Amino acid sequence: MIPFLVNRAAHAVLVLVAVSLLAFVLGDVVGDPVASILGMDATDADRAALRVRLHLDQPFVVRYGHFVVRILSGDLGTSYGAQRPVIDLLAERIPATVELALVALALSLGVGIPLGVWAAARRGDRLVGALMTLSVLGVSLPTFLTGIVLILVFSIGLGWLPSFGRGEVVRIGGWTTGFLTESGLRSLVMPAVSLAIGQIALVARLSRAEMLGVLRTDYIRFARARGLPDPVVNFSHALRNTLIPIITVSGIQLGYLVAFAVVVEQVFQWPGMGLLFLQALAQTDLPLISAFLLVAAFFFVAINLVVDLLYAVADPRLRIKTLAGAR
Amino acid sequence: MTATTGIVAAIHRRNRTLARLLLSPTATLAVVVLTVLVGAALLAPWIARTNPYDLASLDLLDSHLPPAFAKGGDPRYWLGTDSQGADVLSLILYGLRSSLAVGVLAVCISITVGTTAGLVAGYLGGMVDSVIMRIADVQFTFPAMLLALLIGGLGTALLPSALRSTLAVPILVLALGFSHWPHFARLVRGAVLVERQKDYVAAAKLVGRGPLFIMATQILPNVLNPIFVLATLDIAFAIMSEATLSFLGFGMPPTQPSLGTLIKTGYAYLFSGEWWVVIFPGAALVVLLVSINLLGDWLRDLLDPRLG
């Protein structure tokens, strides 16, 4: 248990170091901070003075050290495009992305797991077979296309749902939420559904496969032999043992949801981090790009650590397997 | 003698594969659809009614036409025209070409890098193995699509603008290929760890063959099946990622549009009611992806049940 956790923590640190190095190189080596701060018509003396003030006259390792201290103190630099501190820009955008990803996650687990369990319980059924073939369609649908089709049908065709933005949001402390207004909730429906559809199909396929494995085991056969009704066997005996891998996979799903939120935010002009990142990429706003990288790395590392912990706590067999896999 | 039996066995295997293919209606359908799509893409310059790259052939008077079967449609343009007056069907045929070419090239890069890394890591072990697999692990922390977007977006943005148009496509292919090599590396390494224990490897070592020879000519042919299965599924992934990147504006340029680029440009006209410039390229993309995925799933069940 301890060596496993140490191994995973070392991995997390390694990822963060690698990404911070990349972010540092992007901001400090590729971009020219002096030119971006002073502009074109500065004198050579001014530039030299600023170089000293920014530690640019010092060796790479020292500069990287300063960079790390700077990010740890919460200073992620100033955006070229918006001319505002990056950390403020991110703070404004994070709630939109988090709410979108959480609703999509709830949808993909809430629909995907029951669907998978049901498909496993009734294997051989024609309808189930058709549904599983259809799940290939769910996996093959590009997220942006789902969004476009939804807009075409429900905004342009039927006029039921808004096609862009977050609607009205309510500010609670530093957080803005769309959950409390009707227009906020209505705006959330299509982005969340287009983000979730592919994941629903994936979760359903995974839970079905896990369930099929468990349903073959002896204890399920004994439960049936005892005359327990099917729903009890399926949901209370079998599902319990498939939940652990499903829940841990859902952690990884959350990572993918955040990645594909970038796409959904573009389709629906959802004012989250993804849209900000795309604008930063289009304008080569290096401080913003490196900040996004750091935040994303931190997020993914945190998810991975939690997933690994769940593995270690929940299932000793998995613990051994992941250890072997990590080596 | 052994060569002859080998060939006979191979023919026998091929027949069995064919027989099983015909037994599975979904797989047969997938193969047929895929053949039609790939054929259409390859033959695009000959079967497309117009060449959308040839701007001189476009007539602005023909722009914004709905499909031939809809009201106000022109029988010359089955699937309508776009804002430039280009035939949507021709655009799709050429777009399929771009999408398929980029997808296949990207997977070739993933296979080459990933298989080499996996072979070396699995066969040599030790420090080399640890370093390679650590790098793969670090990369695995990030969703591949995000990584491809970052490499592609930054790569083109940081180029001098003179080189941008010539290097945009190579950078896209590299970004997509590089974003997925760890999958192949993991798969191949796992397979090599098993193969390495076998007698034929020991025999090759005894005859005095070097590690390079053993890896390339002894072990590699024995781990090809899972690589083949993953490659098939990965083409779908690469095509989907390419379409996504193009839709976001960091993929194929409008001068060489892929299906994703077509959907991106069409999306701007969606709100004026021109659904056909988005829906038809989108449908072509989905049919392509579904048939590749169905074929990949079927191949996996056939060749390598462990992957499931």
Side-chain angles (χ1 to χ4, degrees), chain A residues 145-192:
Chain A
L145 207 58
T146 319
I148 290 175
V149 171
L150 286 178
I151 288 182
L152 190 64
V153 175
F154 293 102
S155 296
I156 300 176
L158 298 168
W160 288 353
L161 293 166
S163 64
F164 67 92
R166 256 186 112 187
E168 268 176 72
V169 289
V170 178
R171 176 169 278 282
I172 303 171
W175 191 269
T176 55
T177 177
F179 288 155
L180 298 176
T181 62
E182 198 205 326
S183 78
L185 288 174
R186 279 158 47 94
S187 304
L188 189 59
V189 176
M190 291 200 298

mmCIF file of all heavy atoms in Angstrom, chain A residues 145-192:
data_model
loop_
_atom_site.group_PDB
_atom_site.id
_atom_site.type_symbol
_atom_site.label_atom_id
_atom_site.label_comp_id
_atom_site.label_asym_id
_atom_site.label_seq_id
_atom_site.Cartn_x
_atom_site.Cartn_y
_atom_site.Cartn_z
ATOM 1 N N LEU A 145 -20.515 17.627 -33.452
ATOM 2 C CA LEU A 145 -21.615 17.333 -34.358
ATOM 3 C C LEU A 145 -22.920 17.118 -33.587
ATOM 4 O O LEU A 145 -23.983 17.589 -34.001
ATOM 5 C CB LEU A 145 -21.266 16.091 -35.175
ATOM 6 C CG LEU A 145 -21.932 16.004 -36.528
ATOM 7 C CD1 LEU A 145 -21.582 17.209 -37.371
ATOM 8 C CD2 LEU A 145 -21.490 14.738 -37.236
ATOM 9 N N THR A 146 -22.827 16.403 -32.443
ATOM 10 C CA THR A 146 -24.005 16.239 -31.592
ATOM 11 C C THR A 146 -24.563 17.605 -31.226
ATOM 12 O O THR A 146 -25.771 17.853 -31.321
ATOM 13 C CB THR A 146 -23.634 15.513 -30.288
ATOM 14 O OG1 THR A 146 -22.730 14.474 -30.575
ATOM 15 C CG2 THR A 146 -24.852 14.973 -29.611
ATOM 16 N N GLY A 147 -23.668 18.507 -30.813
ATOM 17 C CA GLY A 147 -24.100 19.847 -30.429
ATOM 18 C C GLY A 147 -24.789 20.560 -31.577
ATOM 19 O O GLY A 147 -25.853 21.167 -31.402
ATOM 20 N N ILE A 148 -24.207 20.465 -32.776
ATOM 21 C CA ILE A 148 -24.777 21.151 -33.930
ATOM 22 C C ILE A 148 -26.164 20.606 -34.254
ATOM 23 O O ILE A 148 -27.099 21.363 -34.517
ATOM 24 C CB ILE A 148 -23.840 21.019 -35.149
ATOM 25 C CG1 ILE A 148 -22.581 21.852 -34.918
ATOM 26 C CG2 ILE A 148 -24.532 21.467 -36.423
ATOM 27 C CD1 ILE A 148 -21.551 21.712 -35.991
ATOM 28 N N VAL A 149 -26.295 19.275 -34.217
ATOM 29 C CA VAL A 149 -27.593 18.675 -34.529
ATOM 30 C C VAL A 149 -28.636 19.101 -33.494
ATOM 31 O O VAL A 149 -29.771 19.443 -33.832
ATOM 32 C CB VAL A 149 -27.479 17.136 -34.615
ATOM 33 C CG1 VAL A 149 -28.850 16.499 -34.728
ATOM 34 C CG2 VAL A 149 -26.615 16.743 -35.795
ATOM 35 N N LEU A 150 -28.231 19.115 -32.217
ATOM 36 C CA LEU A 150 -29.161 19.556 -31.172
ATOM 37 C C LEU A 150 -29.603 20.996 -31.416
ATOM 38 O O LEU A 150 -30.789 21.314 -31.309
ATOM 39 C CB LEU A 150 -28.500 19.448 -29.791
ATOM 40 C CG LEU A 150 -28.332 18.040 -29.223
ATOM 41 C CD1 LEU A 150 -27.632 18.090 -27.874
ATOM 42 C CD2 LEU A 150 -29.691 17.367 -29.062
ATOM 43 N N ILE A 151 -28.647 21.863 -31.773
ATOM 44 C CA ILE A 151 -28.996 23.270 -32.052
ATOM 45 C C ILE A 151 -29.967 23.346 -33.215
ATOM 46 O O ILE A 151 -30.968 24.056 -33.181
ATOM 47 C CB ILE A 151 -27.719 24.087 -32.369
ATOM 48 C CG1 ILE A 151 -26.914 24.290 -31.105
ATOM 49 C CG2 ILE A 151 -28.080 25.440 -32.978
ATOM 50 C CD1 ILE A 151 -25.664 25.109 -31.301
ATOM 51 N N LEU A 152 -29.661 22.553 -34.256
ATOM 52 C CA LEU A 152 -30.496 22.577 -35.455
ATOM 53 C C LEU A 152 -31.932 22.180 -35.122
ATOM 54 O O LEU A 152 -32.888 22.811 -35.577
ATOM 55 C CB LEU A 152 -29.897 21.627 -36.505
ATOM 56 C CG LEU A 152 -30.491 21.708 -37.901
ATOM 57 C CD1 LEU A 152 -30.222 23.074 -38.484
ATOM 58 C CD2 LEU A 152 -29.867 20.647 -38.790
ATOM 59 N N VAL A 153 -32.066 21.138 -34.286
ATOM 60 C CA VAL A 153 -33.409 20.642 -33.973
ATOM 61 C C VAL A 153 -34.101 21.518 -32.932
ATOM 62 O O VAL A 153 -35.203 22.006 -33.145
ATOM 63 C CB VAL A 153 -33.346 19.177 -33.479
ATOM 64 C CG1 VAL A 153 -34.730 18.710 -33.028
ATOM 65 C CG2 VAL A 153 -32.820 18.281 -34.587
ATOM 66 N N PHE A 154 -33.435 21.743 -31.791
ATOM 67 C CA PHE A 154 -34.145 22.338 -30.662
ATOM 68 C C PHE A 154 -34.084 23.862 -30.607
ATOM 69 O O PHE A 154 -34.896 24.478 -29.927
ATOM 70 C CB PHE A 154 -33.636 21.743 -29.346
ATOM 71 C CG PHE A 154 -33.989 20.299 -29.196
ATOM 72 C CD1 PHE A 154 -33.044 19.304 -29.426
ATOM 73 C CD2 PHE A 154 -35.281 19.921 -28.879
ATOM 74 C CE1 PHE A 154 -33.380 17.969 -29.315
ATOM 75 C CE2 PHE A 154 -35.620 18.583 -28.768
ATOM 76 C CZ PHE A 154 -34.668 17.605 -28.993
ATOM 77 N N SER A 155 -33.090 24.471 -31.306
ATOM 78 C CA SER A 155 -33.068 25.934 -31.297
ATOM 79 C C SER A 155 -33.653 26.479 -32.589
ATOM 80 O O SER A 155 -34.581 27.274 -32.583
ATOM 81 C CB SER A 155 -31.644 26.456 -31.144
ATOM 82 O OG SER A 155 -31.116 26.074 -29.923
ATOM 83 N N ILE A 156 -33.091 26.023 -33.715
ATOM 84 C CA ILE A 156 -33.510 26.586 -34.992
ATOM 85 C C ILE A 156 -34.856 26.013 -35.412
ATOM 86 O O ILE A 156 -35.756 26.738 -35.815
ATOM 87 C CB ILE A 156 -32.431 26.332 -36.061
ATOM 88 C CG1 ILE A 156 -31.120 26.984 -35.625
ATOM 89 C CG2 ILE A 156 -32.878 26.869 -37.421
ATOM 90 C CD1 ILE A 156 -29.963 26.731 -36.536
ATOM 91 N N GLY A 157 -35.004 24.676 -35.272
ATOM 92 C CA GLY A 157 -36.237 24.031 -35.712
ATOM 93 C C GLY A 157 -37.403 24.313 -34.785
ATOM 94 O O GLY A 157 -38.398 24.914 -35.172
ATOM 95 N N LEU A 158 -37.272 23.894 -33.519
ATOM 96 C CA LEU A 158 -38.399 23.967 -32.605
ATOM 97 C C LEU A 158 -38.409 25.238 -31.767
ATOM 98 O O LEU A 158 -39.454 25.618 -31.231
ATOM 99 C CB LEU A 158 -38.384 22.745 -31.675
ATOM 100 C CG LEU A 158 -38.525 21.394 -32.387
ATOM 101 C CD1 LEU A 158 -38.202 20.255 -31.439
ATOM 102 C CD2 LEU A 158 -39.926 21.237 -32.938
ATOM 103 N N GLY A 159 -37.245 25.883 -31.646
ATOM 104 C CA GLY A 159 -37.178 27.119 -30.877
ATOM 105 C C GLY A 159 -37.391 26.919 -29.390
ATOM 106 O O GLY A 159 -37.845 27.814 -28.690
ATOM 107 N N TRP A 160 -37.077 25.727 -28.862
ATOM 108 C CA TRP A 160 -37.335 25.443 -27.448
ATOM 109 C C TRP A 160 -36.199 25.922 -26.540
ATOM 110 O O TRP A 160 -36.435 26.366 -25.433
ATOM 111 C CB TRP A 160 -37.517 23.933 -27.227
ATOM 112 C CG TRP A 160 -38.808 23.412 -27.761
ATOM 113 C CD1 TRP A 160 -39.840 24.161 -28.265
ATOM 114 C CD2 TRP A 160 -39.215 22.054 -27.839
ATOM 115 N NE1 TRP A 160 -40.861 23.340 -28.654
ATOM 116 C CE2 TRP A 160 -40.507 22.037 -28.407
ATOM 117 C CE3 TRP A 160 -38.618 20.839 -27.487
ATOM 118 C CZ2 TRP A 160 -41.204 20.856 -28.632
ATOM 119 C CZ3 TRP A 160 -39.305 19.664 -27.704
ATOM 120 C CH2 TRP A 160 -40.591 19.675 -28.278
ATOM 121 N N LEU A 161 -34.958 25.739 -27.001
ATOM 122 C CA LEU A 161 -33.823 25.973 -26.104
ATOM 123 C C LEU A 161 -32.858 26.984 -26.714
ATOM 124 O O LEU A 161 -32.716 27.040 -27.934
ATOM 125 C CB LEU A 161 -33.089 24.652 -25.839
ATOM 126 C CG LEU A 161 -33.868 23.605 -25.043
ATOM 127 C CD1 LEU A 161 -33.196 22.252 -25.138
ATOM 128 C CD2 LEU A 161 -33.999 24.032 -23.589
ATOM 129 N N PRO A 162 -32.201 27.789 -25.876
ATOM 130 C CA PRO A 162 -31.238 28.765 -26.405
ATOM 131 C C PRO A 162 -30.006 28.058 -26.982
ATOM 132 O O PRO A 162 -29.620 26.995 -26.505
ATOM 133 C CB PRO A 162 -30.866 29.595 -25.168
ATOM 134 C CG PRO A 162 -31.179 28.737 -24.005
ATOM 135 C CD PRO A 162 -32.313 27.849 -24.414
ATOM 136 N N SER A 163 -29.421 28.647 -28.027
ATOM 137 C CA SER A 163 -28.333 27.959 -28.717
ATOM 138 C C SER A 163 -26.957 28.409 -28.246
ATOM 139 O O SER A 163 -25.960 27.835 -28.612
ATOM 140 C CB SER A 163 -28.437 28.201 -30.219
ATOM 141 O OG SER A 163 -28.261 29.571 -30.484
ATOM 142 N N PHE A 164 -26.886 29.474 -27.452
ATOM 143 C CA PHE A 164 -25.554 29.883 -27.001
ATOM 144 C C PHE A 164 -25.622 30.553 -25.641
ATOM 145 O O PHE A 164 -26.687 30.994 -25.185
ATOM 146 C CB PHE A 164 -24.903 30.840 -28.006
ATOM 147 C CG PHE A 164 -25.585 32.168 -28.111
ATOM 148 C CD1 PHE A 164 -25.167 33.232 -27.316
ATOM 149 C CD2 PHE A 164 -26.647 32.349 -28.975
ATOM 150 C CE1 PHE A 164 -25.807 34.448 -27.396
ATOM 151 C CE2 PHE A 164 -27.288 33.565 -29.070
ATOM 152 C CZ PHE A 164 -26.868 34.617 -28.270
ATOM 153 N N GLY A 165 -24.477 30.610 -24.961
ATOM 154 C CA GLY A 165 -24.342 31.313 -23.701
ATOM 155 C C GLY A 165 -24.831 30.511 -22.512
ATOM 156 O O GLY A 165 -25.246 29.354 -22.640
ATOM 157 N N ARG A 166 -24.783 31.149 -21.343
ATOM 158 C CA ARG A 166 -25.124 30.490 -20.087
ATOM 159 C C ARG A 166 -26.453 30.951 -19.544
ATOM 160 O O ARG A 166 -26.875 30.518 -18.486
ATOM 161 C CB ARG A 166 -24.066 30.843 -19.045
ATOM 162 C CG ARG A 166 -23.088 29.750 -18.746
ATOM 163 C CD ARG A 166 -22.210 30.208 -17.590
ATOM 164 N NE ARG A 166 -22.466 29.433 -16.392
ATOM 165 C CZ ARG A 166 -21.929 29.725 -15.222
ATOM 166 N NH1 ARG A 166 -21.154 30.764 -15.080
ATOM 167 N NH2 ARG A 166 -22.184 28.969 -14.170
ATOM 168 N N GLY A 167 -27.110 31.880 -20.212
ATOM 169 C CA GLY A 167 -28.342 32.440 -19.663
ATOM 170 C C GLY A 167 -28.024 33.340 -18.482
ATOM 171 O O GLY A 167 -26.905 33.827 -18.344
ATOM 172 N N GLU A 168 -29.025 33.582 -17.638
ATOM 173 C CA GLU A 168 -28.801 34.425 -16.463
ATOM 174 C C GLU A 168 -28.080 33.638 -15.393
ATOM 175 O O GLU A 168 -28.435 32.483 -15.124
ATOM 176 C CB GLU A 168 -30.157 34.859 -15.894
ATOM 177 C CG GLU A 168 -30.672 36.172 -16.431
ATOM 178 C CD GLU A 168 -32.039 36.440 -15.872
ATOM 179 O OE1 GLU A 168 -32.122 36.746 -14.670
ATOM 180 O OE2 GLU A 168 -33.024 36.298 -16.628
ATOM 181 N N VAL A 169 -27.073 34.255 -14.786
ATOM 182 C CA VAL A 169 -26.374 33.557 -13.704
ATOM 183 C C VAL A 169 -26.533 34.345 -12.415
ATOM 184 O O VAL A 169 -26.753 35.542 -12.415
ATOM 185 C CB VAL A 169 -24.874 33.379 -14.016
ATOM 186 C CG1 VAL A 169 -24.681 32.365 -15.113
ATOM 187 C CG2 VAL A 169 -24.231 34.698 -14.389
ATOM 188 N N VAL A 170 -26.462 33.597 -11.302
ATOM 189 C CA VAL A 170 -26.561 34.220 -9.984
ATOM 190 C C VAL A 170 -25.181 34.184 -9.359
ATOM 191 O O VAL A 170 -24.481 33.168 -9.436
ATOM 192 C CB VAL A 170 -27.559 33.445 -9.100
ATOM 193 C CG1 VAL A 170 -27.612 34.069 -7.712
ATOM 194 C CG2 VAL A 170 -28.932 33.436 -9.737
ATOM 195 N N ARG A 171 -24.767 35.294 -8.778
ATOM 196 C CA ARG A 171 -23.443 35.362 -8.172
ATOM 197 C C ARG A 171 -23.547 35.026 -6.686
ATOM 198 O O ARG A 171 -24.316 35.642 -5.947
ATOM 199 C CB ARG A 171 -22.884 36.768 -8.383
ATOM 200 C CG ARG A 171 -21.547 37.028 -7.723
ATOM 201 C CD ARG A 171 -20.979 38.334 -8.205
ATOM 202 N NE ARG A 171 -20.311 38.196 -9.488
ATOM 203 C CZ ARG A 171 -19.098 37.684 -9.638
ATOM 204 N NH1 ARG A 171 -18.448 37.224 -8.599
ATOM 205 N NH2 ARG A 171 -18.544 37.608 -10.828
ATOM 206 N N ILE A 172 -22.788 34.002 -6.257
ATOM 207 C CA ILE A 172 -22.754 33.647 -4.836
ATOM 208 C C ILE A 172 -21.293 33.694 -4.420
ATOM 209 O O ILE A 172 -20.512 32.815 -4.787
ATOM 210 C CB ILE A 172 -23.311 32.241 -4.587
ATOM 211 C CG1 ILE A 172 -24.737 32.141 -5.134
ATOM 212 C CG2 ILE A 172 -23.266 31.912 -3.106
ATOM 213 C CD1 ILE A 172 -25.286 30.741 -5.129
ATOM 214 N N GLY A 173 -20.910 34.718 -3.702
ATOM 215 C CA GLY A 173 -19.505 34.890 -3.337
ATOM 216 C C GLY A 173 -18.687 35.046 -4.611
ATOM 217 O O GLY A 173 -19.020 35.842 -5.481
ATOM 218 N N GLY A 174 -17.644 34.240 -4.764
ATOM 219 C CA GLY A 174 -16.811 34.338 -5.962
ATOM 220 C C GLY A 174 -17.286 33.420 -7.072
ATOM 221 O O GLY A 174 -16.646 33.290 -8.104
ATOM 222 N N TRP A 175 -18.405 32.761 -6.861
ATOM 223 C CA TRP A 175 -18.871 31.736 -7.794
ATOM 224 C C TRP A 175 -20.096 32.250 -8.546
ATOM 225 O O TRP A 175 -20.942 32.905 -7.962
ATOM 226 C CB TRP A 175 -19.241 30.481 -6.994
ATOM 227 C CG TRP A 175 -19.485 29.284 -7.828
ATOM 228 C CD1 TRP A 175 -20.672 28.878 -8.340
ATOM 229 C CD2 TRP A 175 -18.525 28.324 -8.248
ATOM 230 N NE1 TRP A 175 -20.503 27.730 -9.059
ATOM 231 C CE2 TRP A 175 -19.196 27.369 -9.021
ATOM 232 C CE3 TRP A 175 -17.139 28.188 -8.052
ATOM 233 C CZ2 TRP A 175 -18.542 26.290 -9.602
ATOM 234 C CZ3 TRP A 175 -16.500 27.108 -8.630
ATOM 235 C CH2 TRP A 175 -17.197 26.172 -9.392
ATOM 236 N N THR A 176 -20.187 31.950 -9.849
ATOM 237 C CA THR A 176 -21.421 32.269 -10.552
ATOM 238 C C THR A 176 -22.092 30.963 -10.918
ATOM 239 O O THR A 176 -21.437 30.045 -11.397
ATOM 240 C CB THR A 176 -21.147 33.052 -11.842
ATOM 241 O OG1 THR A 176 -20.228 32.308 -12.629
ATOM 242 C CG2 THR A 176 -20.598 34.425 -11.555
ATOM 243 N N THR A 177 -23.399 30.866 -10.662
ATOM 244 C CA THR A 177 -24.086 29.615 -10.969
ATOM 245 C C THR A 177 -25.273 29.851 -11.895
ATOM 246 O O THR A 177 -25.953 30.878 -11.806
ATOM 247 C CB THR A 177 -24.546 28.893 -9.685
ATOM 248 O OG1 THR A 177 -25.250 27.725 -10.076
ATOM 249 C CG2 THR A 177 -25.441 29.776 -8.833
ATOM 250 N N GLY A 178 -25.476 28.912 -12.803
ATOM 251 C CA GLY A 178 -26.624 28.970 -13.699
ATOM 252 C C GLY A 178 -27.733 28.051 -13.218
ATOM 253 O O GLY A 178 -28.753 27.902 -13.874
ATOM 254 N N PHE A 179 -27.508 27.387 -12.057
ATOM 255 C CA PHE A 179 -28.469 26.397 -11.579
ATOM 256 C C PHE A 179 -29.747 27.038 -11.035
ATOM 257 O O PHE A 179 -30.762 26.378 -10.896
ATOM 258 C CB PHE A 179 -27.858 25.552 -10.452
ATOM 259 C CG PHE A 179 -26.810 24.588 -10.932
ATOM 260 C CD1 PHE A 179 -25.814 24.123 -10.085
ATOM 261 C CD2 PHE A 179 -26.832 24.124 -12.246
ATOM 262 C CE1 PHE A 179 -24.854 23.230 -10.537
ATOM 263 C CE2 PHE A 179 -25.877 23.229 -12.690
ATOM 264 C CZ PHE A 179 -24.888 22.787 -11.836
ATOM 265 N N LEU A 180 -29.676 28.332 -10.684
ATOM 266 C CA LEU A 180 -30.780 28.913 -9.928
ATOM 267 C C LEU A 180 -31.778 29.691 -10.774
ATOM 268 O O LEU A 180 -32.799 30.124 -10.272
ATOM 269 C CB LEU A 180 -30.226 29.823 -8.820
ATOM 270 C CG LEU A 180 -29.359 29.095 -7.788
ATOM 271 C CD1 LEU A 180 -28.774 30.062 -6.786
ATOM 272 C CD2 LEU A 180 -30.179 28.024 -7.072
ATOM 273 N N THR A 181 -31.484 29.892 -12.064
ATOM 274 C CA THR A 181 -32.443 30.622 -12.883
ATOM 275 C C THR A 181 -32.973 29.707 -13.976
ATOM 276 O O THR A 181 -32.300 28.741 -14.369
ATOM 277 C CB THR A 181 -31.798 31.845 -13.561
ATOM 278 O OG1 THR A 181 -30.757 31.365 -14.423
ATOM 279 C CG2 THR A 181 -31.219 32.805 -12.560
ATOM 280 N N GLU A 182 -34.177 30.014 -14.451
ATOM 281 C CA GLU A 182 -34.769 29.179 -15.484
ATOM 282 C C GLU A 182 -33.935 29.242 -16.763
ATOM 283 O O GLU A 182 -33.652 28.225 -17.386
ATOM 284 C CB GLU A 182 -36.208 29.640 -15.756
ATOM 285 C CG GLU A 182 -37.023 28.584 -16.467
ATOM 286 C CD GLU A 182 -38.164 29.196 -17.259
ATOM 287 O OE1 GLU A 182 -38.722 30.198 -16.821
ATOM 288 O OE2 GLU A 182 -38.463 28.641 -18.335
ATOM 289 N N SER A 183 -33.512 30.468 -17.135
ATOM 290 C CA SER A 183 -32.759 30.574 -18.382
ATOM 291 C C SER A 183 -31.400 29.897 -18.244
ATOM 292 O O SER A 183 -30.886 29.321 -19.198
ATOM 293 C CB SER A 183 -32.607 32.048 -18.774
ATOM 294 O OG SER A 183 -31.606 32.662 -18.003
ATOM 295 N N GLY A 184 -30.825 29.928 -17.030
ATOM 296 C CA GLY A 184 -29.555 29.242 -16.805
ATOM 297 C C GLY A 184 -29.692 27.746 -17.003
ATOM 298 O O GLY A 184 -28.868 27.110 -17.650
ATOM 299 N N LEU A 185 -30.763 27.177 -16.445
ATOM 300 C CA LEU A 185 -30.987 25.736 -16.563
ATOM 301 C C LEU A 185 -31.286 25.342 -18.005
ATOM 302 O O LEU A 185 -30.792 24.335 -18.514
ATOM 303 C CB LEU A 185 -32.141 25.299 -15.654
ATOM 304 C CG LEU A 185 -31.805 25.300 -14.158
ATOM 305 C CD1 LEU A 185 -33.052 24.993 -13.338
ATOM 306 C CD2 LEU A 185 -30.719 24.281 -13.847
ATOM 307 N N ARG A 186 -32.106 26.176 -18.674
ATOM 308 C CA ARG A 186 -32.438 25.860 -20.063
ATOM 309 C C ARG A 186 -31.204 25.923 -20.958
ATOM 310 O O ARG A 186 -31.048 25.120 -21.876
ATOM 311 C CB ARG A 186 -33.505 26.840 -20.587
ATOM 312 C CG ARG A 186 -34.919 26.458 -20.168
ATOM 313 C CD ARG A 186 -35.841 27.676 -20.227
ATOM 314 N NE ARG A 186 -35.687 28.404 -21.477
ATOM 315 C CZ ARG A 186 -36.450 28.204 -22.547
ATOM 316 N NH1 ARG A 186 -37.411 27.321 -22.490
ATOM 317 N NH2 ARG A 186 -36.267 28.906 -23.629
ATOM 318 N N SER A 187 -30.305 26.870 -20.654
ATOM 319 C CA SER A 187 -29.084 26.978 -21.457
ATOM 320 C C SER A 187 -28.166 25.782 -21.244
ATOM 321 O O SER A 187 -27.361 25.450 -22.094
ATOM 322 C CB SER A 187 -28.307 28.242 -21.084
ATOM 323 O OG SER A 187 -29.115 29.363 -21.214
ATOM 324 N N LEU A 188 -28.276 25.175 -20.064
ATOM 325 C CA LEU A 188 -27.373 24.087 -19.708
ATOM 326 C C LEU A 188 -27.736 22.775 -20.410
ATOM 327 O O LEU A 188 -26.872 21.918 -20.631
ATOM 328 C CB LEU A 188 -27.418 23.903 -18.187
ATOM 329 C CG LEU A 188 -26.414 22.968 -17.529
ATOM 330 C CD1 LEU A 188 -25.004 23.423 -17.829
ATOM 331 C CD2 LEU A 188 -26.631 22.961 -16.024
ATOM 332 N N VAL A 189 -29.009 22.610 -20.789
ATOM 333 C CA VAL A 189 -29.484 21.305 -21.256
ATOM 334 C C VAL A 189 -28.673 20.784 -22.454
ATOM 335 O O VAL A 189 -28.057 19.721 -22.385
ATOM 336 C CB VAL A 189 -30.980 21.371 -21.632
ATOM 337 C CG1 VAL A 189 -31.434 20.041 -22.219
ATOM 338 C CG2 VAL A 189 -31.811 21.712 -20.411
ATOM 339 N N MET A 190 -28.639 21.551 -23.528
ATOM 340 C CA MET A 190 -27.997 21.025 -24.742
ATOM 341 C C MET A 190 -26.485 20.849 -24.610
ATOM 342 O O MET A 190 -25.965 19.825 -25.039
ATOM 343 C CB MET A 190 -28.365 21.899 -25.937
ATOM 344 C CG MET A 190 -29.826 21.764 -26.324
ATOM 345 S SD MET A 190 -30.166 22.295 -27.997
ATOM 346 C CE MET A 190 -29.715 23.996 -27.933
ATOM 347 N N PRO A 191 -25.753 21.823 -24.024
ATOM 348 C CA PRO A 191 -24.318 21.579 -23.855
ATOM 349 C C PRO A 191 -24.046 20.315 -23.033
ATOM 350 O O PRO A 191 -23.193 19.501 -23.400
ATOM 351 C CB PRO A 191 -23.820 22.826 -23.122
ATOM 352 C CG PRO A 191 -24.779 23.882 -23.463
ATOM 353 C CD PRO A 191 -26.105 23.196 -23.623
ATOM 354 N N ALA A 192 -24.797 20.145 -21.919
ATOM 355 C CA ALA A 192 -24.552 18.986 -21.060
ATOM 356 C C ALA A 192 -24.868 17.692 -21.792
ATOM 357 O O ALA A 192 -24.113 16.715 -21.711
ATOM 358 C CB ALA A 192 -25.374 19.100 -19.779
#
